[in-house]
Every structure is written in C-alpha cells, then in structure tokens.
C-alpha cells in the first residue's frame, strides 16, 4: 500500500466515495448523539470504562491466567498465539483435524488483522463471511473501509451488481430480478448464507469481551448471523486479542451500555451472545479459544500508547473524523482505519520500517473530536503526537535536519528573557523586511482569515516549509509595546498593530 498522502489523494478524487461516506458517517453520528444524550451520567460511564480497562491492563498477566483456567474448567481448549502466523496455523490445524474444506465466520477484526481468510485459503479451506457488509466486501474482492460498516463505501446499486455478478461463484446465486431495495438485498444475502450455516461443521469468531472470572466470551451483533455461527456448527474457534479481557462479569454492565450507543447508535445490540465452554447437547461440542498477542504486549510496554488497548472497536472516532470522512478507510491501508487505526497500526507493527505505517500518525488534523466521542477516553491526539516523535526519531541518521536546528535555536531563544526580548524587537524589523520582499520574483503574499497578512511561498529551501503552512507576518509592534502605548487597549489611537 502507498503511504497515506498518496492513497488519500486518489480517494479524494472519487466523488461517489465521498458522497457515500458523508451520508453514512453523518447518519451514524447523529444516531449516536441522540442515544448518548439520554444517559445523564455518560461522562461518568466513560470514566468508569477507562478505569476498568486501565486496571485490567495493569494486571493483564494475572487476568489472562484466570481466563485460561476458567475456560479450561468449562471444557474449552485454550491456545496461545504470539503472532498472526501462529494463530492462523492453530485455526487451520483444528479445521484440518475435522476434515472440513470450509468454515463460516462471525465478523471479527482480530481474524482480519491476522489475514486468516488468506491463510485458510492457502490450506484449501474456504472461509465464508456471514456478516452482510463483510459478505459484500468478500464477494466484491474488496477491502473493508470501516470497522463497524466495512462496506460503507458502497451504495445500494453497487451492492446489487456485486450480488448479481459474484454470488453464483460461491453458492446460491442472487435472483435474476434483484433490485437495489434494501429488503431484497438482505433477502438475497439471507438465502445465500442459510445453506452455508446449515452445512458448516466449523465456525470461527472473535469476541468483543472475554470475562476472566467466569470464562465467558461475548459477541454483540445486529443481524443474527453471529448467533447462527455460534450455535449451529459442531466446532467453534474464537480468536481473541489478549486486551479483550474483563476481570469480572459485572464489568459487562458498563461496556454493554457504552458499546452499542457508541457504535450503531442503539441503546442495546439486537443480539448479545455469551458462552462459557461447552454445554452438553447444546451448541458446539468442541470449543477452541486462541488468545492472540500479535504486538499487543509491545503496545502495553508503551506508557503513552498503551491506552489504545482500551479500544472496544466501536468506530465512533471514525464517524466524526474530518480526515476519514473525506478519504475513507482504504487510504489507511489497514483493517483498522480512521483515528484508531492511525495509532493502533503503528503501535502494533512498530515505526521506522515501513513508509506506509510511518505515514499514519500524520493522517490527522489533531482536532480532538475522536477523543471527545471515545467511550473509553483514549486520547488519540496525544498518542498521535507521541508516535510522530517516534517516527522522527526512527529516521534520524546522526546529522541534524533543518527542523532540528530550528527547534534547537527556538529552545535557546525561549530559555532566556533577554534573548526573547531582542527577538520580539527584531520581529518589527522582520515585518518591514517581509513587506518589502512581497512582490519580488518568487515571493507571493497571502492573506489569512480576517485579513492579516501571511508570509507567502519562500524561494529556495524555504519553499518546502512554506508551501503547506501559513505563517502570519510578524507584527510591527510587540504586544508589550502595544500594551504600554495604549494603556492596555483603553487608548487604541495611541498605538496600533499590524
């Protein structure tokens, strides 16, 4: 994948994509706001969610061992996977042991992260997505562009054509007279998937939460496909990120209020499925749980970045992000797009090795809306700035850059009141110099909102810096001088600033 700026440039040229994204994100964010406003103590609920997650992360090793013991006591088989390759190998081995050539899947970010479908396909095992949006993405040989609504970039007409063109290649075909009415599209998907649900012997899921105290795994969803996958097949394999652990069953009370409101704008999810190991005669009789690290312990070791492990994959940050709304998810080049992807991917993979990953912390205006809506108070702007510093440090080659020299000079200047005073006086001279330069060949003036003059494009090496930035022209009079001359602004005729 190209770095974010190049990918975003391509996405911005797609007017249909931008229209689809704007409509979808505004609809979801408006629904979210209405149901959030119904909760009087929403901020207290957010704080509690963040505290529970932080307490869990502080004792993650203990809670994971408790979870393993609870699951094992209830008949589940627990596997530990250090990375994507180990996790995929475990799932493939279980499927192969049961002699199947296909599995049905519940929507799972963890399995997308480890590219499980591709790994199973290499073993001759087809993985069928059963979530409607994931089905659209899979049939269209596409990539998901949203955590919650993977086909958010597709409109009804495009979905109809995908069904007509590709459903027959993987099972029951779409009706020849299929229209783009949502009811008909959902009906075609239901018939296509039903035969897969009834035939599959092995299912694969993720989990929204894993309760250490009781060994209970939880999946929340809206379509009922998850319930079908979790109950009909004989074997269930759940791939669970180690950060999904909750210490106590009572903790679900907080998160089952935060998650649906923040994700789909609903008071509660239509389907909340919980299972604890095996129940004889009811549901899968063989349950495997793969506890996935894949970089999470590295994130945990990062004092600033570890707050990203609070994430409950609600995607509220995507729906309010001005950058995501205009570029969509594909520009991020990962299954985790938007603001949370801009921090999670570099944290999981590390920086300094891949230009595409290194570009993600810069895919933000730092407006802070993502932090305001995050149900577990992840300070995404803080982590973005932290990661930008890490990216810069990772690319140092021993010689100071122009920016390094500028920052050091600024530090020296600001550290001494005498030097700062001289600089302020010099700014008035700079005003006159810049005013004189404006209009010379290669120097073009700009105006900022409100009419204040800005330094335009500078010639030579300064062009790279000034092309994308508006620096106000230094005022002729410093603030202190203006304050003295005008008696704190009471006599504006005595002095002026420009």
């Amino acid at each position: 994948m190209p770095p974010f700026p190049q990918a975003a440039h391509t996405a911005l040229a797609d007017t249909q994509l931008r229209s689809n994204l704007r409509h979808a994100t505004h609809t979801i964010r408006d629904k979210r706001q209405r149901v959030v406003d119904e909760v009087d103590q929403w901020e207290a609920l957010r704080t509690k969610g963040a505290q529970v997650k932080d307490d869990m992360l502080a004792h993650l090793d203990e809670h994971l061992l408790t979870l393993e013991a609870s699951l094992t006591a209830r008949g589940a088989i627990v596997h530990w996977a250090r990375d994507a390759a180990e996790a995929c190998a475990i799932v493939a081995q279980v499927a192969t042991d049961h002699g199947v050539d296909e599995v049905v899947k519940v929507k799972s970010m963890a399995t997308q992260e480890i590219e499980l479908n591709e790994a199973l396909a290499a073993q001759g095992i087809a993985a069928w997505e059963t979530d409607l949006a994931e089905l659209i993405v899979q049939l269209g040989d596409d990539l998901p562009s949203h955590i919650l609504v993977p086909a958010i970039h597709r409109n009804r007409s495009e979905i109809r054509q995908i069904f007509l063109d590709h459903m027959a290649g993987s099972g029951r075909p779409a009706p020849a007279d299929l229209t783009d009415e949502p009811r008909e599209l959902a009906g075609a998907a239901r018939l296509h998937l039903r035969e897969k649900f009834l035939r599959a012997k092995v299912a694969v899921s993720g989990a929204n939460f894993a309760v250490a105290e009781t060994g209970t795994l939880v999946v929340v969803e809206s379509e009922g496909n998850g319930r079908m996958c979790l109950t009909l097949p004989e074997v269930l394999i759940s791939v669970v990120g180690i950060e999904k652990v909750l210490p106590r069953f009572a903790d679900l009370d907080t998160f089952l209020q935060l998650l649906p409101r923040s994700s789909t704008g609903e008071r509660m999810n239509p389907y909340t499925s919980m299972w604890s190991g095996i129940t004889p005669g009811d549901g899968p009789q063989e349950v495997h749980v793969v506890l996935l690290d894949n970089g999470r312990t590295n994130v945990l070791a990062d004092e600033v970045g570890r707050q990203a492990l609070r994430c409950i994959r609600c995607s509220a940050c995507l729906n309010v992000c001005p950058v995501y709304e205009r570029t969509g998810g594909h520009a991020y080049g990962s299954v985790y797009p938007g603001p949370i992807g801009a921090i999670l991917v570099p944290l999981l993979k590390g920086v300094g090795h891949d230009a595409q990953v290194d570009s993600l912390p810069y895919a933000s205006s730092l407006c802070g809306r993502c932090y305001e809506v995050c149900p577990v108070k992840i300070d995404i702007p803080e982590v973005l700035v932290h990661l930008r510093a890490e990216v810069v440090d990772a690319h140092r080659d021993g010689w100071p850059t122009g920016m390094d020299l500028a920052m050091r000079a600024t530090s020296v200047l600001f550290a001494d009141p005498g030097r700062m005073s001289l600089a302020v006086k010099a700014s008035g001279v700079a005003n006159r110099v810049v005013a004189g330069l404006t209009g010379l060949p290669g120097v073009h003036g700009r105006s900022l909102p409100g009419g204040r003059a800005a330094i335009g494009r500078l010639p030579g090496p300064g062009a790279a810096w000034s092309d994308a930035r508006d620096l106000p022209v230094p005022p002729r009079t410093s603030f202190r001088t203006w304050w003295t001359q005008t008696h704190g602004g009471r006599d504006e005729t005595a002095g002026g600033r420009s």
Side-chain angles (χ1 to χ4, degrees), residues 293-303 309 347-350:
D293 184 335
N294 205 32
R296 287 162 174 77
T297 50
N298 293 334
V299 182
L300 186 63
D302 187 320
E303 292 185 3
L309 295 178
L347 286 167
L348 288 172
K349 295 186 175 182

Side-chain angles (χ1 to χ4, degrees), residues 438-463:
T438 302
L440 293 177
V443 183
H444 307 285
R446 293 175 182 158
S447 294
L448 299 175
R452 183 174 179 182
I455 295 175
R457 186 177 188 275
L458 297 174

